[in-house]
């Protein structure tokens, strides 16, 4: 049992806060499966069972309909197309999974592989569906889930009004093996900040959960419109990446929002070099994110 395991009343309160299910609405849980069992899969199954039971109790109080859990064959990789066929935990057969998902008002996906792209598209195309996606979720994440999401939402909205005015961010790094004055400038001119505060109350809404982040792509300087106004991206500097496996740092030289050189002999350095060699787009700095969830912890903690 995880030390941070949430109690049924806590789960019910959380679902009420982030999804606000209304009388007459339909809530559906989704999960993927394979023939291979693992500790993480068993833990996710146990987590799903506890959340389903808490949602059932909440459904009695709020008057919404909790539908049978849908299980579909795992896709084997993140954001692959969803299969058409699936099954429900009460023995029902599903011939069109995307259509079934869109027939609900609230879909909660606890999956091994991320289905974020597909679920986001299904929610966006629906007039009544909102989706909470939880790829790779484990019971250990319940610490982050137990945060006060009303406060996270309030904090995020206040911070959003500030960062929208910023032209960029200067990040200073320190630590063992990192030279003094190591820094990275992130260019956020022409930014499009998004707030993921954990609230998913409106039709068409979509969140990844646990939540609590403000994020935006940096200015990349590649579009003709952007270059006419801002010229090249000013994202530049040195970005140290710590490798937990061998306790060494990789140092990424960044110019114009792209990694142009990787220094160091760490496992992480080799991984980054291989990723860029396989696809040059992996050299692009894709996002800057600001964490808002004070209960969230690194998987290495």
């Amino acid at each position: 049992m995880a030390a941070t395991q949430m109690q049924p009343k806590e789960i019910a309160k959380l679902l009420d806060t982030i999804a606000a299910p209304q009388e007459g609405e339909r809530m559906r849980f989704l999960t993927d499966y394979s023939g291979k069992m693992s500790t993480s899969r068993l833990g996710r199954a146990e987590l799903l069972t506890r959340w389903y039971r808490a949602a059932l109790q909440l459904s009695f109080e709020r008057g919404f309909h909790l539908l049978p859990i849908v299980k579909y064959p795992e896709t084997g990789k993140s954001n692959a197309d969803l299969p058409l066929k699936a099954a429900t935990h009460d023995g029902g057969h599903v011939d069109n999974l995307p259509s079934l998902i869109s027939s609900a008002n609230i879909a909660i996906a606890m999956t091994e592989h991320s289905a974020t792209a597909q679920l986001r598209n299904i929610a966006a195309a629906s007039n009544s569906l909102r989706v909470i996606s939880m790829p790779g979720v484990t019971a250990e994440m319940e610490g982050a889930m137990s945060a006060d999401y009303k406060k996270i939402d309030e904090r995020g909205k206040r911070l959003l009004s500030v960062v929208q005015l910023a032209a960029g961010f200067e990040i200073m790094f320190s630590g063992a093996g990192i030279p003094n004055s190591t820094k990275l400038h992130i260019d956020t001119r022409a930014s499009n900040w998004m707030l993921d505060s954990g609230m998913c109350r409106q039709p068409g809404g979509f969140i990844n959960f646990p939540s609590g982040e403000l994020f935006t792509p940096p200015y990349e300087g590649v579009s003709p419109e952007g270059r006419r106004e801002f010229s090249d991206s000013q994202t530049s500097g040195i970005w140290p990446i710590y490798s937990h496996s061998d306790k060494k740092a990789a140092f990424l030289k960044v110019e114009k929002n792209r990694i142009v050189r990787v220094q160091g002999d760490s496992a992480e350095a080799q991984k980054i070099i291989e990723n860029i060699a396989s696809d040059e787009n992996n050299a692009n700095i894709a996002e800057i994110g600001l964490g808002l969830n004070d209960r969230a912890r690194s998987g290495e903690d």
Side-chain angles (χ1 to χ4, degrees):
M1 180 181 293
T4 55
Q5 185 178 99
M6 297 175 69
Q7 298 304 307
K9 288 185 178 180
E10 294 177 297
I11 298 171
K13 181 180 179 182
L14 174 62
L15 289 171
D16 202 25
T17 298
I18 65 176
Q22 303 297 306
E23 184 176 357
E25 287 194 316
R26 295 155 55 89
M27 178 184 290
R28 172 89 69 184
F29 281 83
L30 312 166
T31 191
D32 55 0
Y33 67 90
S34 75
K36 299 179 181 179
M37 293 307 298
S38 65
T39 301
S40 64
R41 286 191 180 279
L42 289 171
R44 186 173 303 111
E46 189 270 341
L47 183 75
L48 174 60
T49 298
R50 288 194 291 108
W51 277 57
Y52 189 84
R53 289 173 178 169
L56 183 61
Q57 182 58 46
L58 183 63
S59 72
F60 298 148
E61 299 172 10
R62 293 289 181 265
F64 64 89
H65 305 288
L66 183 61
L67 304 172
I69 298 170
V70 170
K71 302 180 179 181
Y72 64 87
E74 71 167 29
T75 59
K77 62 181 180 179
S78 294
N79 294 320
D81 290 340
L82 292 173
L84 287 176
K85 295 188 178 297
T88 61
H89 76 213
D90 61 350
H93 296 280
V94 177
D95 293 320
N96 190 324
L97 178 58
S99 178
L100 184 75
I101 295 170
S102 65
S103 69
N105 301 102
I106 302 168
I108 302 173
M110 293 184 170
T111 58
E112 172 77 13
H113 298 286
S114 175
T116 291
Q118 290 71 27
L119 293 173
R120 189 191 299 274
N121 290 339
I122 292 172
S126 172
N127 294 322
S128 59
L129 174 67
R130 51 200 187 274
V131 174
I132 299 169
S133 182
M134 303 168 70
V137 67
T138 65
E140 286 72 22
M141 294 181 185
E142 284 192 294
M145 296 176 196
S146 65
D148 188 331
Y149 280 91
K150 287 184 178 179
K151 289 184 178 179
I152 289 175
D153 188 53
E154 294 168 359
R155 186 184 308 137
K157 288 175 179 176
R158 290 197 302 269
L159 187 56
L160 178 61
S161 66
V162 175
V163 298
Q164 285 176 326
L165 302 176
F169 291 79
E170 198 90 342
I171 305 172
M172 303 292 295
F173 299 93
S174 63
I178 298 177
N180 292 334
S181 302
T182 299
K183 63 183 179 180
L184 176 67
H185 177 81
I186 303 292
D187 186 347
T188 58
R189 297 174 297 166
S191 60
N192 181 24
W193 286 96
M194 301 291 291
L195 172 60
D196 184 358
S197 66
M199 295 299 176
C200 192
R201 298 180 164 200
Q202 302 301 321
F206 177 94
I207 61 170
N208 275 313
F209 198 80
S211 304
E213 183 186 23
L214 265 173
F215 59 94
T216 186
Y219 169 61
E220 298 180 358
V222 295
S223 72
E225 297 81 2
R227 291 188 58 79
R228 278 196 296 269
E229 184 169 357
F230 300 120
S231 187
D232 292 332
S233 172
Q234 295 176 9
T235 297
S236 62
I238 302 295
W239 181 9
I241 303 291
Y242 184 70
S243 175
H244 290 275
S245 63
D246 52 23
K247 297 179 170 44
K248 297 179 180 179
F251 294 90
L252 314 184
K253 173 68 173 177
V254 177
E255 295 177 356
K256 298 180 182 179
N257 204 65
R258 294 184 65 82
I259 300 166
V260 297
R261 187 166 64 251
V262 180
Q263 295 178 303
D265 60 354
S266 70
E268 196 65 28
Q270 185 59 39
K271 179 181 177 181
I272 293 169
I273 290 170
E274 292 173 356
N275 285 342
I276 294 174
S278 67
D279 185 346
E280 65 178 14
N281 289 324
N282 290 332
N284 187 59
I285 309 300
E287 180 181 292
I288 176 173
L290 305 177
L292 301 170
N293 189 331
D294 56 357
R295 298 294 302 274
R297 296 292 182 270
S298 165
E300 301 291 341
D301 286 352

